[in-house]
């Protein structure tokens, strides 16, 4: 099994290096535990190469996204500092394979979350502020032909992310009822509310905090947590410009560079 996990990690890392999507890895791994073992292999390699963890993401939290991805449970992945894009910046063409975008609530922590089971009060006390976020998801697997095992192994189909720059304290916003609109050059493509994210973005963050503590990678002060999509994921193409607006949190923008011929 170790050889299969190494082989799956090697296949995905090859896609990262070459920029060419690979075949699914579900022929090599059978369970979610195996998939997270692949993710761990890649995490250890990247940390060894000097990448810095900046937080975590939870994916597949809305029913709409689960239906799009043909899966029925959440997952998580690692965020690295070199994945962060300033609000309004342009992502170079090809930087994320098969990119799609989704709007989310981001939480930034000021205290560690190390218990095996946290309460909502623990999470609220640990959170410094919330921000609007656009996550640019991507898949190293050809044609997004993924199962839960494939996306978990592929660092939860992570790519890059952009955060707004006006921090909002939790007591100043209703994250469950906040409305979200995602537009491309003024055309509305996706909408939703905080309730689409496991009923409340804090529910998603609790799931993540508990899960990470149990696997020995707890959330730490300073971490950014992407709590999950508030509406359907939207494909992105070179030249696209997206803006997400979340009631009570403000807006965030990201552009995609045009391909160079």
């Amino acid at each position: 099994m170790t050889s299969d996990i190494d082989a799956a990690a090697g296949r995905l890392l090859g896609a990262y290096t070459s920029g060419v999507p690979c075949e699914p890895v579900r022929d090599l791994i059978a369970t979610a535990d195996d998939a997270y073992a692949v993710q761990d292999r890649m995490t250890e390699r990247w940390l060894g190469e000097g990448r810095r963890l900046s937080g975590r993401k939870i994916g597949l939290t809305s029913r709409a996204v689960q239906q799009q991805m043909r899966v029925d449970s959440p997952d998580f992945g690692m965020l690295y500092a070199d994945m962060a894009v300033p609000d309004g910046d342009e992502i170079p063409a090809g930087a994320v394979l098969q990119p799609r975008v989704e709007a989310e609530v981001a939480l930034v922590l000021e205290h560690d979350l190390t218990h095996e089971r946290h309460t909502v009060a623990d999470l609220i006390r640990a959170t410094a502020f919330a921000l609007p976020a656009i996550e640019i998801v991507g898949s190293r697997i050809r044609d997004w032909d993924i199962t839960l095992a494939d996306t978990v192994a592929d660092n939860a189909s992570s790519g890059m992310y952009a955060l707004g720059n006006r921090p909002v304290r939790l007591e100043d916003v209703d994250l469950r009822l906040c409305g979200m609109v995602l537009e491309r050059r003024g055309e509305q493509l996706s909408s939703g509310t905080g309730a689409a994210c496991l009923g409340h973005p804090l529910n998603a963050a609790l799931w993540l905090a508990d899960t990470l503590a149990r696997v020995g990678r707890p959330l730490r002060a300073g971490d950014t947590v992407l709590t999950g999509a508030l509406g359907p994921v939207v494909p992105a193409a070179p030249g696209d410009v997206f803006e997400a607006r979340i009631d009570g949190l403000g807006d965030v923008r990201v552009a995609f560079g045009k391909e160079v011929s």
Side-chain angles (χ1 to χ4, degrees), residues 18 47 74 84 93 109 121 134 143 150 154 188 193-194 205-206 208 210 226 233 236 238 246 250:
S18 68
L47 292 177
L109 302 182
I134 292 177
D143 298 327
D150 294 305
D154 190 20
Q188 181 176 318
T193 67
L206 278 175
L208 181 64
D210 291 353
L226 299 184
V233 175
I246 301 178

Side-chain angles (χ1 to χ4, degrees), residues 112-148:
D112 298 348
L113 288 166
T114 58
H115 302 302
E116 289 192 6
R117 185 173 179 82
H118 298 86
T119 68
V120 172
D122 293 330
L123 179 59
I124 292 172
R125 282 196 299 267
T127 301
F129 52 83
L131 294 168
I134 292 177
E135 183 183 2
I136 302 95
V137 294
S139 183
R140 272 50 62 179
I141 293 171
R142 180 177 50 80
D143 298 327
W144 278 91
D145 178 16
I146 61 172
T147 63
L148 180 62

Side-chain angles (χ1 to χ4, degrees), residues 4-235:
D4 288 341
I5 289 169
D6 289 337
R11 186 180 297 177
L12 291 166
L13 289 167
Y16 273 101
T17 302
S18 68
V20 177
C22 64
E23 295 300 312
V25 296
R26 56 183 176 267
D27 60 320
L28 297 169
I29 53 177
T31 68
D33 287 344
D34 294 340
Y36 280 114
V38 174
Q39 188 184 121
D40 281 344
R41 289 283 200 285
M42 297 166 68
T43 299
E44 291 304 323
R45 170 166 175 163
W46 284 327
L47 292 177
E49 292 175 352
R51 297 183 79 182
R52 178 175 67 84
L53 281 174
S54 59
R56 311 289 192 277
K57 60 160 285 184
I58 175 171
L60 310 177
T61 55
S62 80
R63 187 173 300 277
V65 174
Q66 288 180 5
Q67 290 171 347
Q68 281 188 317
M69 300 298 184
R70 303 188 300 278
V71 297
D72 58 8
S73 64
D75 66 353
F76 69 83
M78 306 295 160
L79 298 178
Y80 297 89
D82 57 13
M83 294 165 57
V85 182
D87 183 11
D89 256 23
E90 183 176 281
I91 296 171
V96 179
L97 289 181
Q98 306 178 110
R100 299 177 177 181
V101 300
E102 55 191 38
E104 311 190 14
V105 172
L107 304 178
V108 179
L109 302 182
E110 61 180 340
H111 300 295
D112 298 348
L113 288 166
T114 58
H115 302 302
E116 289 192 6
R117 185 173 179 82
H118 298 86
T119 68
V120 172
D122 293 330
L123 179 59
I124 292 172
R125 282 196 299 267
T127 301
F129 52 83
L131 294 168
I134 292 177
E135 183 183 2
I136 302 95
V137 294
S139 183
R140 272 50 62 179
I141 293 171
R142 180 177 50 80
D143 298 327
W144 278 91
D145 178 16
I146 61 172
T147 63
L148 180 62
D150 294 305
T151 186
V152 166
D154 190 20
N155 197 31
S157 300
S158 62
M160 305 181 86
Y161 66 98
L163 302 176
N165 50 36
R166 184 177 68 87
V168 177
R169 296 180 63 84
L170 293 185
E171 61 263 33
D172 295 328
V173 61
D174 186 337
L175 293 183
R176 185 178 72 86
L177 297 179
C178 63
M180 176 279 294
V181 174
L182 178 64
E183 297 179 342
R184 180 180 59 206
R185 296 190 181 277
E187 176 190 6
Q188 181 176 318
L189 299 177
S190 179
S191 63
T193 67
C197 182
L198 289 186
H200 195 297
L202 293 185
N203 293 343
L206 278 175
W207 179 91
L208 181 64
D210 291 353
T211 301
L212 290 173
R214 287 195 295 268
V215 301
R217 290 188 183 274
L219 292 168
R220 299 293 187 185
D223 279 347
T224 296
V225 176
L226 299 184
T227 58
L230 304 186
V233 175
V234 176

